[in-house]
Amino acid sequence: MKRILSVTAAALVFAGASMAVAELAEDYVFVEPTAQDHPLDEIISGYQFRIESTRETQDDDFENPGMLLLDQAMDTWSEVDGAAGKSCADCHGDDPLDAMKGVGSTYPKFTEEGDHRAFRNIENQINHCRTERMQADAWKYDKNDMLGMTVLVRNADRGEPVDVAVDGDAAPYFEQGKELYYTRMGQLDMSCAHCHEENYGNYIRADHLSQGQVNGFPTYRFKWQGVGSLHRRFSGCIKNIRGIPFKKGEDEFLALELYTSWRGQGLPVETPAVRN
């Protein structure tokens, strides 16, 4: 069984929260890291830290609330929008899940169009397509149209391993994301690693801390009563430690998205996952 790591004193003293030792199920599933410098011995999806009823909700497409946004995006795919008179289907084909196969598991990454090259996550790529190819208005982060299309792109790779590139031109983003992951922030003076590397598996209040893997985003959270983006989750974590979040879609969170995706390299894409 998975025994729990040591409790971080700073989290207890400053947050005033109680922690308890917990164990994963004997048959918990994990992926072995392939990178020699990976900080974890086992890569474990947040799915393994959730109670049975939550996992059952995620596994049942009829019960999973996140699937409603997927259905919405399937309809939006063929809808014409913008001055160019185009839909997603005009460029990518009529079957969105087939067209997007092999895409969602590889973001964030550099994408190119003509002379324009930029490091983007799925949301930024969607808005690039909308503004440049469709001549339509950009969608806002964490609104249903953007969330739904991002769910669609990721869901097309559901079950496929996360496979992000962190070398070449992406290397500076990877290093920036790694630095952010271990940087203490906020009045509680905590980093991502305090919860998700040093204390995963512990309970803090009623929350069973996971490794903070991102293979299920966008995710339906019971706390949110809806689907939210990864950058919304980043923002929430920083606010929880009484810090000031970075802006969604900007370089800092893009870098952190790349690094956290690498930490879960090889985990299957679960989008839309269901979490507390």
Side-chain angles (χ1 to χ4, degrees):
M1 286 188 180
K2 174 73 182 180
R3 295 302 301 177
I4 303 311
L5 307 179
S6 61
V7 175
T8 302
L12 291 172
V13 173
F14 290 105
S18 60
M19 279 191 172
V21 173
E23 292 181 344
L24 292 175
E26 292 185 359
D27 59 348
Y28 74 95
V29 178
F30 65 91
V31 172
E32 292 186 359
T34 56
Q36 292 184 349
D37 58 346
H38 200 285
L40 301 170
D41 295 328
E42 300 172 337
I43 302 174
I44 310 171
S45 170
Y47 177 90
Q48 303 295 327
F49 295 85
R50 301 283 65 90
I51 61 175
E52 184 177 359
S53 60
T54 302
R55 287 181 288 172
E56 288 175 349
T57 300
Q58 175 176 318
D59 294 341
D60 188 334
D61 286 352
F62 291 99
E63 296 292 332
N64 185 332
M67 299 302 288
L68 295 175
L69 285 185
L70 175 61
D71 292 340
Q72 173 185 306
M74 295 284 282
D75 293 335
T76 303
W77 182 264
S78 58
E79 293 178 358
V80 173
D81 193 10
K86 291 183 178 181
S87 69
C88 302
D90 288 326
C91 289
H92 299 290
D94 293 330
D95 186 341
L97 294 181
D98 181 66
M100 293 294 103
K101 191 70 175 174
V103 176
S105 59
T106 65
Y107 274 82
K109 65 181 180 181
F110 273 95
T111 60
E112 299 184 37
E113 184 175 344
D115 295 331
H116 188 73
R117 191 166 187 266
F119 188 75
R120 301 186 178 100
N121 63 358
I122 295 172
E123 290 91 340
N124 287 351
Q125 182 61 40
I126 289 171
N127 270 341
H128 177 72
C129 287
R130 287 186 58 77
T131 58
E132 299 301 318
R133 299 180 184 178
M134 300 171 69
Q135 298 177 36
D137 292 335
W139 282 337
K140 294 182 179 180
Y141 246 86
D142 283 296
K143 296 299 183 181
N144 280 350
D145 41 18
M146 175 63 85
L147 288 168
M149 195 59 68
T150 309
V151 166
L152 186 155
V153 175
R154 287 279 283 179
N155 183 264
D157 267 1
R158 186 166 61 165
E160 295 299 315
V162 173
D163 186 21
V164 292
V166 298
D167 55 356
D169 290 343
Y173 283 89
F174 175 79
E175 293 300 330
Q176 181 185 10
K178 181 178 180 180
E179 181 179 357
L180 285 171
Y181 192 89
Y182 291 100
T183 297
R184 292 173 178 265
M185 300 181 185
Q187 292 180 339
L188 300 191
D189 195 34
M190 293 175 64
S191 71
C192 307
H194 282 122
C195 286
H196 299 300
E197 186 170 313
E198 297 177 13
N199 283 294
Y200 74 85
N202 285 322
Y203 278 101
I204 180 168
R205 297 191 179 98
D207 189 18
H208 195 187
L209 291 176
S210 73
Q211 291 182 347
Q213 300 295 351
V214 302
N215 56 309
F217 281 90
T219 291
Y220 181 91
R221 293 193 72 206
F222 292 116
K223 178 180 179 180
W224 294 337
Q225 287 295 290
V227 175
S229 69
L230 176 58
H231 290 196
R232 179 181 178 183
R233 190 71 184 100
F234 287 160
S235 295
C237 285
I238 293 176
K239 289 177 182 178
N240 285 343
I241 57 175
R242 301 172 192 170
I244 301 174
F246 302 106
K247 187 176 180 180
K248 297 174 184 176
E250 297 297 330
D251 281 351
E252 293 86 357
F253 274 170
L254 289 176
L256 189 58
E257 180 175 350
L258 178 64
Y259 179 68
T260 53
S261 296
W262 173 82
R263 287 175 69 94
Q265 195 93 297
L267 285 177
V269 174
E270 297 176 13
T271 307
V274 176
R275 301 289 188 260
N276 295 346

